[in-house]
Coordinates of all heavy atoms in Angstrom, one line a residue:
P384 N -6.1 -15.3 -13.5 CA -5.2 -15.3 -14.7 C -5.4 -13.9 -15.3 O -6.5 -13.3 -15.3 CB -5.8 -16.4 -15.6 CG -6.5 -17.4 -14.8 CD -7.1 -16.5 -13.6
D385 N -4.4 -13.3 -15.8 CA -4.4 -12.1 -16.5 C -5.2 -12.2 -17.7 O -5.2 -13.2 -18.4 CB -3.0 -11.6 -16.9 CG -3.0 -10.2 -17.4 OD1 -3.3 -9.2 -16.7 OD2 -2.8 -10.0 -18.6
E386 N -5.9 -11.2 -18.1 CA -6.8 -11.2 -19.4 C -6.0 -11.5 -20.6 O -6.5 -12.1 -21.6 CB -7.5 -9.9 -19.5 CG -6.7 -8.7 -19.7 CD -7.4 -7.4 -19.6 OE1 -8.4 -7.2 -20.4 OE2 -6.9 -6.4 -19.0
S387 N -4.7 -11.1 -20.6 CA -3.8 -11.4 -21.9 C -3.2 -12.7 -21.8 O -2.6 -13.1 -22.8 CB -2.8 -10.3 -21.9 OG -1.8 -10.5 -20.9
S388 N -3.4 -13.5 -20.7 CA -2.7 -14.8 -20.6 C -3.6 -15.8 -21.3 O -4.8 -15.8 -21.2 CB -2.5 -15.2 -19.3 OG -2.1 -16.5 -19.1
M389 N -2.9 -16.8 -22.1 CA -3.7 -17.8 -22.7 C -4.4 -18.6 -21.7 O -5.4 -19.4 -22.1 CB -2.9 -18.6 -23.7 CG -1.8 -19.5 -23.0 SD -0.9 -20.2 -24.4 CE -0.1 -21.5 -23.4
S390 N -4.0 -18.6 -20.4 CA -4.6 -19.5 -19.4 C -5.9 -18.8 -18.9 O -6.7 -19.5 -18.2 CB -3.7 -19.7 -18.2 OG -3.4 -18.5 -17.6
A391 N -6.2 -17.6 -19.3 CA -7.4 -17.0 -18.8 C -8.7 -17.7 -19.2 O -9.6 -17.8 -18.4 CB -7.5 -15.5 -19.3
I392 N -8.8 -18.1 -20.4 CA -10.0 -18.8 -20.9 C -9.8 -20.1 -21.5 O -10.7 -20.8 -21.8 CB -10.8 -17.8 -21.7 CG1 -12.3 -18.2 -21.8 CG2 -10.2 -17.7 -23.1 CD1 -13.1 -18.1 -20.5
T393 N -8.6 -20.5 -21.8 CA -8.4 -21.8 -22.5 C -8.7 -23.0 -21.7 O -8.8 -24.1 -22.2 CB -7.0 -21.8 -23.0 OG1 -6.0 -21.6 -22.0 CG2 -6.8 -20.8 -24.2
Y394 N -8.5 -22.9 -20.3 CA -8.9 -24.0 -19.5 C -10.4 -24.2 -19.6 O -11.2 -23.3 -19.4 CB -8.4 -23.9 -18.0 CG -7.0 -24.0 -17.8 CD1 -6.3 -22.9 -17.5 CD2 -6.4 -25.2 -17.9 CE1 -4.9 -23.0 -17.3 CE2 -5.0 -25.4 -17.7 CZ -4.3 -24.2 -17.4 OH -2.9 -24.3 -17.2
H397 N -12.6 -22.7 -16.9 CA -12.7 -21.2 -16.6 C -13.8 -20.6 -17.3 O -14.1 -20.8 -18.5 CB -11.3 -20.5 -17.2 CG -10.1 -20.8 -16.3 ND1 -9.0 -20.1 -16.6 CD2 -9.9 -21.7 -15.3 CE1 -8.1 -20.5 -15.6 NE2 -8.6 -21.5 -14.9
F439 N 4.9 -13.9 -16.2 CA 5.4 -15.2 -16.1 C 6.8 -15.2 -15.6 O 7.5 -14.3 -15.8 CB 5.3 -15.8 -17.6 CG 4.0 -16.3 -18.0 CD1 3.2 -15.5 -18.7 CD2 3.5 -17.6 -17.6 CE1 1.9 -15.9 -19.1 CE2 2.2 -18.0 -18.0 CZ 1.5 -17.3 -18.8
R461 N 0.5 -10.5 -26.1 CA -0.1 -11.5 -25.2 C 0.9 -12.4 -24.6 O 2.0 -12.6 -25.0 CB -1.0 -12.5 -26.2 CG -2.3 -11.7 -26.7 CD -3.2 -12.7 -27.4 NE -3.4 -14.0 -26.7 CZ -4.3 -14.2 -25.7 NH1 -5.0 -13.2 -25.3 NH2 -4.5 -15.4 -25.2
N462 N 0.4 -12.9 -23.3 CA 1.2 -14.0 -22.7 C 2.5 -13.5 -21.9 O 3.3 -14.3 -21.6 CB 1.6 -15.1 -23.5 CG 0.7 -16.3 -23.2 OD1 -0.2 -16.2 -22.3 ND2 1.0 -17.5 -23.8
F463 N 2.6 -12.2 -21.7 CA 3.7 -11.7 -20.9 C 3.4 -11.7 -19.4 O 4.2 -11.9 -18.5 CB 4.1 -10.3 -21.2 CG 5.2 -10.3 -22.3 CD1 4.9 -10.5 -23.7 CD2 6.5 -10.2 -22.0 CE1 5.8 -10.5 -24.6 CE2 7.5 -10.3 -23.0 CZ 7.2 -10.4 -24.3
I464 N 2.1 -11.5 -19.2 CA 1.6 -11.3 -17.7 C 0.8 -12.6 -17.4 O -0.1 -13.0 -18.2 CB 0.7 -10.1 -17.5 CG1 1.5 -8.8 -17.9 CG2 0.2 -10.0 -16.1 CD1 2.7 -8.6 -17.0
W465 N 1.1 -13.2 -16.3 CA 0.5 -14.5 -15.9 C -0.7 -14.3 -15.1 O -1.7 -14.9 -15.2 CB 1.5 -15.3 -15.2 CG 1.0 -16.5 -14.5 CD1 0.4 -17.6 -15.2 CD2 0.8 -16.8 -13.1 NE1 0.0 -18.5 -14.3 CE2 0.2 -18.1 -13.0 CE3 1.1 -16.1 -11.9 CZ2 -0.1 -18.6 -11.8 CZ3 0.8 -16.7 -10.8 CH2 0.2 -17.9 -10.7

Side-chain angles (χ1 to χ4, degrees):
D385 187 72
E386 61 183 316
S387 71
S388 172
M389 67 183 196
S390 67
I392 199 69
T393 56
Y394 287 108
H397 285 193
F439 278 96
R461 289 186 44 81
N462 251 7
F463 270 82
I464 302 296
W465 172 66

